[in-house]
Amino acid sequence: MDFQNIFPVWNQLNTIQKNQILGSLNAQKVKKGTLLHNGNADCAGLFLIKSGQLRAYILSDEGREITIYRLFDMDICLLSASCIMRSIQFEVIIEAEKDTELWVIPAEVYKNIMEQSAPVANYTNELMASRFSDVMWLLEQILWKSLDKRVAAFLLEESSIEQASELKITHETIAKHLGSHREVITRMLRYFQNEGIVQLSRGTIVILDRKKLEQLQNP
Amino acid sequence: MDFQNIFPVWNQLNTIQKNQILGSLNAQKVKKGTLLHNGNADCAGLFLIKSGQLRAYILSDEGREITIYRLFDMDICLLSASCIMRSIQFEVIIEAEKDTELWVIPAEVYKNIMEQSAPVANYTNELMASRFSDVMWLLEQILWKSLDKRVAAFLLEESSIEQASELKITHETIAKHLGSHREVITRMLRYFQNEGIVQLSRGTIVILDRKKLEQLQNP
């Protein structure tokens, strides 16, 4: 799989722009847990994911986390190049959730091309609108949905990503995805266990009753 | 004050584009309380505010509201033209908070120009990044700040907008801005009154101790 096949506006670039990107492109392999971008202090550039999984999250002053979106094969990460737009006034952290292969387009190279090219600028708009939509979805979840529904939705999402009913995930990690506390998640999962929805053991959650989870998620 | 002086990328348009905009531009005067845009069902176009105040909010299935941003003189409202980007997958409602004079650029006209013009597309990017930043700020407030801090911040913001210490606003309206319930806001304001921070009467809140509000907001 080549970069040219993944980058959606490749065919709308001219030869000079194509050469600028290919000449500066940086292929990387990173291990699960690697921090790829840490707030506005660094401006790594645009990430194109060849394979793997990234997580973008925000951090409170007290060290609490909440996942704002996740990216998978062939997705593009714009906010790792947030310095290319001065109106982006928030900080996200981007971490590899699995071992990941990616290409990096340096921020300056992308910015120069975006300033000249309407197709690239409009494509960037669509990328930002997608991430904006993710955050609006999250905002609505937090505002209007109770935590049991959010935990149910998260377990179903994880199960779908991993294609498995047995999830290797700690309560602490779920808390960090959902912006909650470990104790609160543990209490909720024990309630799910009492209802026969999941079975808990150390570091593992087995989904026993997918239908009940789906009913919880969309009552 | 002319449209040409407010629209920031006017000088980067060519003559055809300028004529397209001027030929389709629609000047409107609307009364306080007018709904200008209601979710993705309509796609009114870009609003440029000559004078007045708009509020963008979202609505839960149960009819609860929360303000996601406000716009003032010379601001531009992009999400009233959300149909121009297919990746915007959320619905906002835009309402005049005061009597407002505005220009409307029809969505189709703006979209055509944006597709051709890198400066307009990049300007649109900055607009979206600003609103995205507003929502990220709101998300952080909701996640990490307690309601007393958010009510304090809201009263200070209102006082700054109105240039007054006496605010004509109901508890119900504050609840709708903050995504809360009237009863909860009333309880909080009564606590503020007991602490000598505000004085409450029917439909009016007088700020007595601005310093204490500021300390609450930024402890």
Side-chain angles (χ1 to χ4, degrees):
Chain A
M1 198 167 54
D2 289 332
F3 172 82
Q4 290 89 324
N5 301 121
I6 297 192
F7 190 60
V9 283
W10 182 255
N11 292 330
Q12 289 173 274
L13 299 176
N14 65 34
T15 311
I16 296 174
Q17 292 163 341
K18 285 180 179 173
N19 288 336
Q20 279 172 342
I21 290 187
L22 290 182
S24 63
L25 204 59
N26 177 9
Q28 292 190 8
K29 286 188 187 188
V30 298
K31 286 279 168 203
K32 177 177 170 174
T34 307
L35 278 194
L36 288 161
H37 173 78
N38 194 350
N40 295 340
D42 63 345
C43 193
L46 245 76
F47 300 152
L48 277 84
I49 304 176
K50 194 172 175 182
S51 66
Q53 189 171 320
L54 304 184
R55 169 172 96 97
Y57 64 96
I58 55 175
L59 200 61
S60 76
D61 295 340
E62 288 84 31
R64 284 174 65 195
E65 299 180 4
I66 186 167
T67 299
I68 59 168
Y69 57 83
R70 297 162 111 180
L71 298 170
F72 304 93
D73 294 3
M74 301 183 54
D75 277 341
I76 292 182
C77 185
L78 176 67
L79 292 181
S80 51
S82 57
C83 63
I84 67 176
M85 266 168 273
R86 65 176 185 285
S87 306
I88 295 185
Q89 291 180 338
F90 53 90
E91 308 219 335
V92 301
I93 302 169
I94 293 159
E95 171 191 75
E97 256 193 310
K98 297 188 174 175
D99 293 351
T100 298
E101 285 191 55
L102 72 162
W103 289 284
V104 182
I105 307 175
E108 271 310 308
V109 171
Y110 192 83
K111 189 182 182 191
N112 285 337
I113 294 173
M114 185 176 82
E115 278 168 2
Q116 302 156 20
S117 160
V120 173
N122 281 301
Y123 171 66
T124 309
N125 256 322
E126 292 288 347
L127 277 181
M128 189 152 53
S130 293
R131 295 299 82 76
F132 194 173
S133 299
D134 291 341
V135 169
M136 289 297 292
W137 180 87
L138 175 64
L139 180 66
E140 291 181 358
Q141 293 286 313
I142 293 168
L143 282 168
W144 324 127
K145 302 266 181 197
S146 52
L147 190 68
D148 58 340
K149 294 182 178 68
R150 294 180 59 218
V151 172
F154 180 79
L155 293 177
L156 289 168
E157 184 192 351
E158 276 296 302
S159 170
S160 157
I161 291 171
E162 303 297 338
Q163 299 282 312
S165 289
E166 184 175 326
L167 306 174
K168 301 270 178 210
I169 193 164
T170 65
H171 303 184
E172 178 71 28
T173 302
I174 297 176
K176 285 182 173 178
H177 278 292
L178 300 181
S180 181
H181 293 284
R182 187 191 57 73
E183 297 77 4
V184 178
I185 298 296
T186 297
R187 204 180 313 131
M188 186 65 74
L189 287 171
R190 282 189 187 146
Y191 165 75
F192 283 6
Q193 181 166 254
N194 290 341
E195 297 288 308
I197 300 172
V198 301
Q199 190 186 329
L200 306 176
S201 55
R202 198 173 182 80
T204 306
I205 300 166
V206 181
I207 296 174
L208 299 176
D209 192 336
R210 186 171 299 268
K211 270 204 182 137
K212 273 199 189 161
L213 277 185
E214 285 162 358
Q215 282 164 7
L216 263 176
Q217 184 191 15
N218 299 308
Chain B
M1 197 167 56
D2 289 333
F3 172 81
Q4 289 90 325
N5 301 121
I6 297 192
F7 190 59
V9 282
W10 182 254
N11 292 330
Q12 290 174 273
L13 299 176
N14 65 34
T15 311
I16 297 174
Q17 292 162 342
K18 285 180 180 173
N19 288 337
Q20 280 172 343
I21 290 187
L22 289 181
S24 63
L25 204 60
N26 177 9
Q28 294 190 9
K29 286 187 187 190
V30 296
K31 288 279 170 204
K32 177 178 169 171
T34 307
L35 277 195
L36 287 161
H37 173 77
N38 194 350
N40 294 340
D42 63 343
C43 192
L46 244 75
F47 300 151
L48 277 83
I49 305 177
K50 193 172 177 182
S51 66
Q53 189 172 319
L54 304 184
R55 170 172 95 98
Y57 64 95
I58 55 174
L59 200 61
S60 77
D61 295 340
E62 288 83 32
R64 285 175 65 195
E65 298 181 5
I66 186 168
T67 299
I68 59 167
Y69 58 82
R70 297 160 112 181
L71 298 170
F72 304 93
D73 294 4
M74 301 183 52
D75 277 341
I76 292 183
C77 185
L78 176 67
L79 291 182
S80 51
S82 58
C83 63
I84 67 175
M85 264 167 274
R86 66 173 185 285
S87 306
I88 294 184
Q89 292 180 339
F90 53 90
E91 308 219 335
V92 300
I93 302 169
I94 294 159
E95 170 190 76
E97 256 193 310
K98 298 188 173 175
D99 292 353
T100 298
E101 286 190 55
L102 72 161
W103 288 284
V104 182
I105 307 176
E108 270 310 307
V109 171
Y110 192 84
K111 189 182 182 192
N112 285 336
I113 293 173
M114 185 176 83
E115 278 168 1
Q116 302 155 18
S117 161
V120 173
N122 281 300
Y123 171 65
T124 310
N125 256 320
E126 292 288 347
L127 277 180
M128 188 152 54
S130 293
R131 296 298 83 74
F132 194 173
S133 298
D134 291 343
V135 169
M136 287 298 291
W137 180 87
L138 175 64
L139 181 67
E140 291 180 359
Q141 294 288 312
I142 292 168
L143 282 169
W144 324 126
K145 302 265 183 202
S146 52
L147 190 68
D148 57 342
K149 295 184 176 67
R150 294 179 59 217
V151 172
F154 180 79
L155 293 177
L156 289 168
E157 184 191 350
E158 275 297 303
S159 171
S160 158
I161 292 171
E162 303 297 339
Q163 298 283 311
S165 288
E166 184 175 327
L167 306 174
K168 301 268 179 213
I169 193 163
T170 64
H171 303 185
E172 176 73 27
T173 302
I174 297 176
K176 285 182 174 180
H177 277 292
L178 299 181
S180 182
H181 293 284
R182 188 191 56 72
E183 297 77 7
V184 178
I185 298 297
T186 297
R187 204 181 312 130
M188 186 66 72
L189 288 171
R190 283 190 184 143
Y191 164 75
F192 283 6
Q193 182 166 253
N194 290 340
E195 297 288 307
I197 300 173
V198 300
Q199 192 187 326
L200 306 176
S201 56
R202 198 174 182 80
T204 308
I205 300 166
V206 181
I207 296 174
L208 299 176
D209 192 336
R210 186 171 299 268
K211 270 203 184 139
K212 273 199 190 162
L213 276 185
E214 284 162 358
Q215 282 163 5
L216 263 177
Q217 185 191 13
N218 298 310

